[in-house]
Amino acid sequence: MRRFLDTLYGAAGLLAGLSTVGVLLSVLAAIVARQLGMNIPGTDAYAGYFMAAAGFLALASTFKHGEHIRVTLVLNALQPANRRRLDIVALAVATVLAAAFAFFSIKLTHDSWAYNDISTSNDATPLWIPQTAMAVGTVLFFIALLDELIRRLCGHAAATSQQTHE
């Protein structure tokens, strides 16, 4: 199971990286077209879609690599037992919030599909297509948080960016 989850987080990180390349290509296409006196409709919208996909798909991978920003001032001031308790409480709250976020992201994507909602910009893209990346990213983030909560409850230490880069 550990290998499967790590592969899943890695695949989402790879898709986030590819989405970042999509932002670059969309912006470059718009710049080149503008220099040639042409217009490629929707390049700004697609750059935004790729940017959102990159952000959401990267959530689980960056979290599992210990790269999310954490305010450790309070945690570092506590005794180890209390630090562990507070960390578990924070993970539990984050897991609940991520579950709600994932649920409503899926609901938004489904509603956009059900009502044939399209972009109001000149690309007229069905909105469920870019929203799918958001829904997948939030579900994977929820899974990563739940995974980490279970690991901590079992006594495993938190991943740090130094541990994951070694």
Side-chain angles (χ1 to χ4, degrees):
M1 181 61 108
R2 173 87 271 133
R3 183 178 294 164
F4 171 75
L5 289 174
D6 288 342
T7 301
L8 191 62
Y9 305 143
L14 178 65
L15 288 174
L18 291 174
S19 295
T20 303
V21 172
V23 173
L24 172 70
L25 294 176
S26 296
V27 171
L28 283 177
I31 291 170
V32 169
R34 191 174 308 125
Q35 293 299 317
L36 296 174
M38 299 170 20
N39 179 36
I40 301 175
T43 52
D44 55 341
Y46 280 96
Y49 300 152
F50 282 124
M51 177 89 63
F56 283 103
L57 290 171
L59 286 171
S61 178
T62 55
F63 175 74
K64 291 305 282 186
H65 282 92
E67 299 291 338
H68 280 206
I69 296 172
R70 292 183 54 145
V71 180
T72 57
L73 184 64
V74 175
L75 281 176
N76 290 339
L78 296 174
Q79 296 297 323
N82 289 333
R83 182 180 310 141
R84 181 175 179 276
R85 285 186 197 106
L86 182 59
D87 204 27
I88 288 171
V89 167
L91 276 170
V93 170
T95 302
V96 169
L97 291 173
F101 196 19
F103 173 81
F104 286 108
S105 294
I106 292 168
K107 183 177 181 337
L108 174 68
T109 304
H110 179 266
D111 289 348
S112 292
W113 174 77
Y115 297 117
N116 295 315
D117 198 9
I118 61 169
S119 170
T120 57
S121 65
N122 58 3
D123 64 310
T125 300
L127 287 177
W128 68 266
I129 296 171
Q131 289 170 351
T132 298
M134 178 181 68
V136 168
T138 57
V139 167
L140 290 176
F141 187 48
F142 163 70
I143 292 169
L145 283 164
L146 183 61
D147 174 25
E148 194 62 24
L149 177 61
I150 291 168
R151 289 182 80 252
R152 297 288 174 73
L153 288 170
C154 292
H156 297 284
T160 64
S161 59
Q162 287 88 13
Q163 289 173 334
T164 58
H165 294 286
E166 293 174 351

